[in-house]
Amino acid sequence: MANLANFTKEKEGKWTEPFVFIQGADPQFGMIASYVEHKKEDEWQEEIRLSKQAVQIINSMRPKPKFLVLCGDLVNAMPGTSSSEPQMNDVRDVFSALDPEITLFYLPGNHDIGDIPTEQGVEQYRRHFGPDHYSFWLNGCHFVVLNSQYYENESQCSHLAQEQREWLDGVLKEGPFQHRVVFQHIPWFVHNPDESKFYFNIDKPLRTQMLNKFKENGVSKIFCGHLHENAGGWDDTLELVVSSAIGAQLGEVPAGHGFRIVKVYEDRIEHNYVTLDNAPTDISL
């Protein structure tokens, strides 16, 4: 986990030059064997292989990305199950090979802390990966990292959800900033902000409330995972981006194992999903 003391507004609050970062999602160690191949025994060697390939590619990129953010579902095994701790240990081991000049940021998905998160599940996540919500500054840009599972179901951890709500209200008052970007696991919507509630999005009344809050406070992009395919859309000036997975692929036409290259310029943010088989290592800015 990144040392957030190095990413304060005091140290990183001024814009200097364009930069690149990588957004990954859903390495989800164990999903391919259990969900795609329907094996009875837990195994995650394929996700280890794919994640090592992703790390190798990212390490080879020039210019070096400033950071890699993994947008949740790091593991497939739910908290309290026998494979949960081993999968978390292996995620940390694989991604520890990331170039130390490329900062690694984690955030939780539903499999990391449970569909109905509990204090115990959140504590297990924090022990392995650090805080479940935080913000950081880099090159004049403000990045806000959320635990989206609190918005899906907070029935067993309402005090933790309230802590995040109060914290977020304070964080959104910080500024000025060149860009403000949010990272989370579950997307507020998949294609359209007016779509009905289903498994892969968040309840519409809360969705509308939060999207309005983000727009009012200058958020221009929200990067998510969870869907295991590429999607997203716009709500006025706010773009929500859903990236497919490093791990298991879903959808009628799978996007392919990969990650998203994000280029941050003074006046705009550009992004492109690439597969592990065609990811470039020379990045033009």
Side-chain angles (χ1 to χ4, degrees), residues 29-48:
F29 283 25
M31 181 179 176
I32 292 174
S34 67
Y35 187 86
V36 178
E37 299 175 347
H38 305 291
K39 293 183 178 179
K40 292 183 179 180
E41 298 296 325
D42 280 347
E43 60 181 70
W44 49 93
Q45 287 304 309
E46 181 63 6
E47 287 92 350
I48 288 176

Side-chain angles (χ1 to χ4, degrees), residues 181-202:
V181 173
V182 169
F183 299 119
Q184 59 187 74
H185 181 63
I186 302 176
W188 298 100
F189 60 88
V190 171
H191 296 293
N192 188 302
D194 294 323
E195 69 195 21
S196 299
K197 165 65 180 168
F198 69 117
Y199 175 76
F200 286 108
N201 65 15
I202 293 174

Side-chain angles (χ1 to χ4, degrees), residues 2-160:
N3 182 356
L4 295 177
N6 294 328
F7 297 92
T8 62
K9 189 174 187 298
E10 290 70 27
K11 293 182 178 180
E12 288 285 347
K14 292 185 178 181
W15 173 265
T16 57
E17 61 184 0
F19 64 96
V20 176
F21 71 83
I22 306 299
Q23 183 228 357
D26 301 273
Q28 204 155 343
F29 283 25
M31 181 179 176
I32 292 174
S34 67
Y35 187 86
V36 178
E37 299 175 347
H38 305 291
K39 293 183 178 179
K40 292 183 179 180
E41 298 296 325
D42 280 347
E43 60 181 70
W44 49 93
Q45 287 304 309
E46 181 63 6
E47 287 92 350
I48 288 176
R49 183 188 70 81
L50 292 165
S51 296
K52 285 183 175 180
Q53 184 180 357
V55 168
Q56 183 179 30
I57 294 167
I58 294 167
N59 284 347
S60 299
M61 288 181 170
R62 297 294 183 273
K64 288 183 181 181
K66 292 294 186 180
F67 64 86
L68 164 65
V69 57
L70 292 174
C71 286
D73 275 6
L74 310 172
V75 302
N76 190 63
M78 291 290 187
T81 61
S82 60
S83 295
S84 178
E85 290 274 348
Q87 287 178 0
M88 288 185 172
N89 287 334
D90 282 349
V91 168
R92 291 171 57 195
D93 180 63
V94 169
F95 285 95
S96 70
L98 191 69
D99 187 318
E101 294 185 23
I102 304 172
T103 306
L104 177 60
F105 294 100
Y106 292 108
L107 65 89
N110 54 302
H111 280 260
D112 304 317
I113 60 173
D115 287 327
I116 304 175
T118 64
E119 186 170 356
Q120 292 78 15
V122 172
E123 178 54 36
Q124 180 192 34
Y125 171 87
R126 290 174 174 175
R127 178 161 44 84
H128 281 277
F129 301 111
D132 62 321
H133 60 275
Y134 53 95
S135 70
F136 64 95
W137 287 82
L138 180 68
N139 198 21
C141 300
H142 191 206
F143 298 94
V144 180
V145 179
L146 296 176
N147 183 340
S148 60
Q149 206 59 32
Y150 294 148
Y151 301 117
E152 180 66 17
N153 191 322
E154 63 169 79
S155 61
Q156 300 300 309
C157 57
S158 58
H159 62 296
L160 297 179

